[in-house]
Amino acid sequence: MAVAIFVLDLISKTIVVSVLEGGEPVTLIADVLRLRVIRNPGAAFSVGTGMTVVFTVIAAGVVIAILRTARRLRSLPWAVTLGLLLGGAIGNLTDRLFRSPAPLQGHVVDWVEVFPATGFPVFNVADSAIVCGGILAVFLAWRGYQLDGTRATGAPEPATGGDAAADRSRDDAGEEHGERRG
């Protein structure tokens, strides 16, 4: 997952920089989606534009933490989650390390603009992967899924799709026939 996200991010940035940078934004769907290349020296939503080196160090730390955590993975959903986060972090870290204006101070290439009139931030494939991975991580943690594939006790049970009254009836019928439910 991480490799796929990284490669897709790198290829898309390479193409949009060579084709779109310096030109007018390209509208794909009026008032909904356009392509516009910007160079972001800060974090998400251009926060902290003067702290590029700090963000580079933080991104490197995140990559190392994910790689160390991945050794304990025994859960497919967590593997997908960490793959999204890792691929996105490496994608943006690559920009910070190798793009202009200087090594460790590179600006991240953002190019997808949704609902341009709203001022929603311009983003890239790596940013999308990080957001999706973050949402998935919160969901998995809320549901009690652990990195080792087990489930924490006291976590909300998945919906069975059945009717609670019917489940109680089946339980009662089983007990009437001498079956013990535990």
Side-chain angles (χ1 to χ4, degrees):
M1 180 62 72
V3 170
I5 294 297
F6 172 71
V7 168
L8 184 59
D9 183 64
L10 183 62
I11 290 171
S12 65
K13 288 174 181 175
T14 302
I15 291 170
V16 299
V17 165
S18 68
V19 174
L20 298 176
E21 191 165 49
E24 291 295 315
V26 175
T27 300
L28 299 178
I29 303 172
D31 300 323
V32 176
L33 178 64
R34 74 178 170 191
L35 308 180
R36 177 170 70 111
V37 178
I38 65 166
R39 300 289 182 125
N40 182 358
F45 310 115
S46 294
V47 173
T49 56
M51 299 174 44
T52 305
V53 173
V54 173
F55 293 130
T56 302
V57 171
I58 291 170
V62 167
V63 167
I64 291 167
I66 291 172
L67 290 172
R68 292 188 71 200
T69 301
R71 294 184 301 182
R72 297 180 290 146
L73 273 178
R74 301 289 180 269
S75 165
L76 180 60
W78 273 110
V80 169
T81 300
L82 293 182
L84 288 167
L85 293 169
L86 182 61
I90 292 174
N92 284 340
L93 179 59
T94 300
D95 282 3
R96 295 202 184 281
L97 292 173
F98 301 112
R99 290 200 188 269
S100 63
L104 298 177
Q105 298 177 28
H107 297 179
V108 174
V109 174
D110 290 330
W111 57 275
V112 179
E113 187 173 28
V114 294
F115 304 109
T118 65
F120 192 83
V122 180
F123 58 96
N124 58 46
V125 171
D127 296 335
S128 297
I130 291 167
V131 169
C132 291
I135 291 169
L136 190 53
V138 168
F139 176 76
L140 292 173
W142 172 68
R143 298 297 291 174
Y145 291 100
Q146 305 293 309
L147 293 172
D148 65 2
T150 62
R151 221 156 156 239
T153 58
E157 287 296 319
T160 60
D163 177 12
D167 291 343
R168 278 193 303 277
S169 294
R170 281 191 293 272
D171 286 346
D172 292 343
E175 288 176 10
E176 286 175 12
H177 296 292
E179 296 176 14
R180 295 202 95 198
R181 303 275 178 183

